[in-house]
Amino acid sequence: MNLLLELASFELPISNPVIKFLLILVIILLAPILLNRLKIPPLLGLIIAGTIVGPKGLGLIERDSGIILSGTAGLLYIMFLAGLEIDLQDFKKNSKKSLVFGMFTFLIPMFLGILAGLYLLEMTLLSSILLASMFASHTLIAYPLISKLGIAKNRAVNITVGGTLITDTLALLVLAIIIGSTKGEVNSVFWLKLILSLVVFTTVIVFIFPRIGRWFFKKYTDNSSQFIFVLVLVFSGAAMAELAGVEAIIGAFLVGLAINSLIPHTSPLMNRVEFVGNTIFIPFFLIGVGMLVDFRVFFESWETIWVAFVMTTIAISAKWLAAYFTQQTFKFSIDERRIIFGLSNAQAAATLAAVLIGYNTIIGTDEFGEPIRLLSETILNGTIVMILVTCTIASLEAQRGAKNIVLAESSLDQSNDSEIPERILIPVRNQETSDELINLSILLQSPKKKASMYALSIINPELQDSGAEMKAQKTLNKASETAAATDHFLYELLRYDTSIEKGISSVIRENKITDLVLGLHEKQGMSDTFLGNLTENLLSRSNTTTYIYKPNQPFETHRRHLVFIPPGAEHELGFPFWLVKIWNIARNTGARMIFYLSESTRIYIQEIHKNHPIRLEFREFPDWGKLGNLNIILKPDDNLIMVLSRKGEESYHPNMERVPDLINTFLKNHSFILVYPNQPKAGGMNGLEMIHGSLIGPIERLDFIGRMISSLFKKK
């Protein structure tokens, strides 16, 4: 009844929560679609929509506590996603570049801002410094756009995100110092309290949060519980940041970095985190920013127009100069400069917080008894205009640079796509192991290119089990649901065959499978019979890289992956193919890799590591007779990856036959993956027909492997 009365009376602003929420959802749905036809970025479309329906526009919706709450959550979500999606190895590799950019994008706006405040706007020194700090900070408002285009791991994005942490922290510290000085609180106690609180806050998030997260993810696998837990961590970090005296966005970003390795980029949890953020939280924030914009300030006075012009010009110029100097310093491309400028030009959250605090800070009264504010009302109005203009330019520039980079990368990928199409086969027997097998298969894939995945269930027609087909189909459906949760498609294959090995090998040949992922149940050991049947029946019938996986805990909760590579592995033609997959695991999870290998193999892999860095440590391969020391080497949260070989190949060793005993003795409480490299033979090259392996001599073979490694890693 109340809803009908409100519709009839057309009272503004709308107070009915149902209508208000419906209107916001319609905006989120239609604004990007309609404005996209005008080549306007979706992010900018939501800001414009917020301006139109907000209190300074048509007045349909008030910027009340609900909008502010949702907007705050959206802002924290943007910073959290920036930390979560960043490639930690690239982040460490580019840390010095991030520092350089961070100082450029802080010092240049500070210098120009102070000069503009003193000589163009005739402000006091204290007010000019605060104004300059507003120019120095920025909001990654264009980050969702960059992320959707798939270049979140680009070096320019990486450097900009790292620089954002630096400049926003420094700008907010300037704000805290300025406000403290107006109250006479900047003394030794103030500095001691600030430093101690920052150290405690950072230590708790960086060192304690990951341990809590790993424990929770191992204990609770429910999807809803894991997602809520992540939100708890984000807002806990944000609250701790405010207690430490810095802005909440710093805490959200650090939480993203801290639990980065616990949420692989291809995991179902990551898919849910991004989905909820991009569809609900972030759009609410953008609409809330639009509600702050007031076009009427242009008509209030010439002073407001002048202040808005100066602030907008200085903010854009300073950030462009910072991006330009960064480009010139590190020899970046023009499109990378556009991305740096687009990401760092938008003024929103931290700027708004600073201007509101400055506006509400009274530093005295004038001769008429009116309060003298640290930042005047004209500065407040000029800030609103600056937010609109900078967000517009930031969205357009970021989109332009990102699209050009995507087009350049796609043309490069297309030139290599026809070389080796990846097809992964996952035989599934029960729902208990299918989820982990699907997740591992996704982690084996390149972060930039999805492989074709096939789930196979084999039914023995000689067994009289009326419910076998229904059980098999149910298992396949469950596997498809797991893959769909990570935005991957899974082909379901149901096959009747009296022999599992024959059925798998036939499917491999029929579908030109390149990788086979087999699973062992958590409580199942490995017998000599199992390994013998595998090597004699399955591996002899098919030629594909084979992975035998037994999960003991969720894959993302492993601290380290110990990779045992037998001496001479680099001489085998299958070497590049499994190595790329191990590399993909490291890139997708960010976990630490420890390679146990011979000196000759290390030379090969070290060269790859220079151009494609991961968290990697080299150690000497132990003598085959000393593999009984696994219980000393392995730690509780380790995963063992052991590369084996087939009889007659260069890296084969008789002690590989002892693997079942080693596993049953030392790996009962550990996850492990056994890798059998593919061995191309004449007549059955499985995607490598162009090589003619039987005609390749030792020198040519090494040369081919080197070229194949370069080709495979080039696509990564």
Side-chain angles (χ1 to χ4, degrees), residues 656-673:
M656 289 182 180
E657 307 296 334
R658 295 182 53 220
V659 168
D661 293 333
L662 292 173
I663 288 173
N664 294 330
T665 303
F666 302 112
L667 299 178
K668 290 182 179 179
N669 299 317
H670 286 86
S671 300
F672 66 83
I673 303 173

Side-chain angles (χ1 to χ4, degrees), residues 419-526:
E419 292 181 1
I420 307 168
E422 295 182 347
R423 298 184 176 95
I424 301 177
L425 176 65
I426 311 108
V428 292
R429 291 183 296 173
N430 53 65
Q431 297 183 22
E432 287 76 13
T433 58
S434 64
D435 284 1
E436 290 298 331
L437 292 178
I438 297 298
N439 290 334
L440 174 62
S441 301
I442 293 171
L443 292 174
L444 291 173
Q445 302 175 36
S446 166
K448 293 185 177 181
K449 184 182 177 184
K450 296 178 182 178
S452 299
M453 297 200 308
Y454 300 78
L456 170 66
S457 186
I458 297 178
I459 301 174
N460 189 339
E462 296 181 354
L463 299 178
Q464 300 299 321
D465 187 354
S466 58
E469 184 173 344
M470 184 180 296
K471 293 177 183 177
Q473 190 60 56
K474 189 175 181 180
T475 302
L476 290 174
N477 293 341
K478 175 63 177 176
S480 292
E481 291 176 6
T482 302
T486 60
D487 200 24
H488 286 74
F489 181 77
L490 188 71
Y491 296 94
E492 297 181 13
L493 303 177
L494 186 61
R495 191 180 187 92
Y496 288 88
D497 205 304
T498 56
S499 168
I500 294 178
E501 291 83 5
K502 289 181 180 178
I504 294 176
S505 59
S506 297
V507 171
I508 288 175
R509 290 181 176 275
E510 292 166 4
N511 295 278
K512 297 182 180 180
I513 299 298
T514 59
D515 298 271
L516 173 65
V517 179
L518 299 172
L520 288 175
H521 192 274
E522 181 180 346
K523 298 180 181 179
Q524 179 182 347
M526 175 171 279

Side-chain angles (χ1 to χ4, degrees), residues 75-88 91 98 138 140 143 152 157-169 201-202 205-206 209 233-239 241 246-260:
L75 173 61
L76 296 179
Y77 223 91
I78 290 176
M79 295 303 296
F80 169 65
L81 284 177
L84 193 63
E85 293 185 350
I86 201 169
D87 190 311
L88 290 179
F91 185 71
S98 292
H138 58 254
L140 296 173
Y143 185 83
V157 179
N158 211 306
I159 289 170
T160 309
V161 171
T164 299
L165 177 64
I166 295 170
T167 189
D168 279 5
T169 302
F201 145 73
T202 305
I205 290 182
V206 173
F209 273 31
L233 289 184
V234 173
F235 282 87
S236 297
V246 295
E247 198 65 22
I249 55 177
I250 304 300
F253 178 77
L254 284 181
V255 170
L257 284 180
I259 65 174
N260 184 292

